[in-house]
């Protein structure tokens, strides 16, 4: 990715609804170039889609939590099944398959702590393949507006220090 691609990505991450003409003007390229570059970024899988960012609190889901789940027996099939099942729940904002003591981390948004308690106890803790379920309530959640390029790595794959 060159500097033009990076500029296009920064602009689109800030405002995915801007017109191609506005994007081209902001980046300093021709509209045809902006369109071609954006299409190429999508074709390469760098841009995976455009969506509306929604505030869960505005939908009555003001309590967010991270739920750590340990699964037994531990197998690819079991973990993928749990991942897919958790992702399909309406309370779920995201699912992460992780290393460490837990196997899956689920980010949920619910209306209240009572709802969260019932969700964990009635829908998760009863599952026989879940040997441990731990819940952490989120006080604050900030998602970066854009993903910046990482600092360059040296020849051993180590990142150069931040200035």
């Amino acid at each position: 990715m060159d500097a033009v691609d990076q500029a296009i990505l920064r602009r689109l991450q800030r405002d995915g609804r801007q017109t191609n003409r506005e994007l081209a003007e902001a980046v300093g390229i021709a509209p045809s170039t902006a369109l071609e570059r954006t299409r190429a970024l999508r074709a390469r899988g760098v841009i995976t889609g455009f969506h509306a960012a929604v505030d869960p609190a505005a939908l009555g889901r003001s309590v967010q939590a991270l739920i750590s789940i340990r699964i037994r027996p531990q197998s690819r099939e079991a973990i993928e099944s749990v991942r897919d099942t958790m992702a399909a729940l309406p309370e779920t904002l995201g699912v992460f398959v992780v290393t460490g003591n837990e196997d899956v981390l689920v980010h949920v948004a619910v209306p209240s702590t009572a709802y969260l308690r019932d969700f964990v106890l009635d829908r998760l803790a009863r599952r026989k393949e879940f040997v441990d379920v731990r819940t952490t309530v989120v006080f604050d959640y900030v998602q970066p507006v854009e993903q910046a390029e990482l600092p360059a790595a040296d020849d051993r794959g180590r990142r150069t220090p931040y200035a």
Side-chain angles (χ1 to χ4, degrees):
M1 282 200 346
D2 64 12
V4 173
D5 286 342
Q6 291 174 28
I8 289 171
L9 286 176
R10 278 193 303 275
R11 295 291 307 184
L12 288 175
Q13 287 179 98
R14 289 184 200 139
D15 180 7
R17 294 188 58 177
Q18 65 191 299
T19 67
N20 185 63
R21 184 172 304 284
E22 291 168 335
L23 175 63
E25 185 178 320
V27 175
I29 57 177
S32 59
T33 302
L35 184 59
E36 180 182 312
R37 293 288 192 114
T38 302
R39 285 181 176 160
L41 289 166
R42 288 193 71 172
R44 292 188 349 238
V46 176
I47 296 175
T48 58
F50 296 92
H51 67 279
V54 177
D55 179 5
L59 299 175
R61 297 166 58 184
S62 60
V63 175
Q64 292 187 39
L66 300 172
I67 303 171
S68 303
I69 303 170
R70 212 162 30 122
I71 303 165
R72 295 295 179 269
Q74 200 172 44
S75 68
R76 176 182 297 276
E77 294 78 18
I79 290 172
E80 288 176 352
S81 174
V82 169
R83 177 199 64 200
D84 296 344
T85 299
M86 294 295 104
L89 297 175
E91 294 86 357
T92 301
L93 296 177
V95 179
F96 305 88
V97 175
V98 297
T99 65
N101 293 331
E102 289 78 24
D103 301 303
V104 176
L105 182 64
V106 183
H107 182 193
V108 299
V110 296
S112 66
T113 55
Y115 187 107
L116 177 63
R117 177 200 62 224
D118 293 344
F119 175 75
V120 170
L121 293 176
D122 297 339
R123 296 184 65 192
L124 303 183
R126 291 183 177 183
R127 293 186 56 159
K128 64 182 183 213
E129 72 270 31
F130 292 3
V131 295
D132 190 30
V133 177
R134 296 175 189 250
T135 304
T136 303
V137 172
V138 175
F139 287 140
D140 200 7
Y141 173 68
V142 177
Q143 186 172 13
V145 174
E146 63 185 63
Q147 295 181 23
E149 186 175 14
L150 295 174
D154 65 16
D155 59 351
R156 292 183 174 185
R158 295 178 300 198
R159 297 286 173 202
T160 56
Y162 291 93

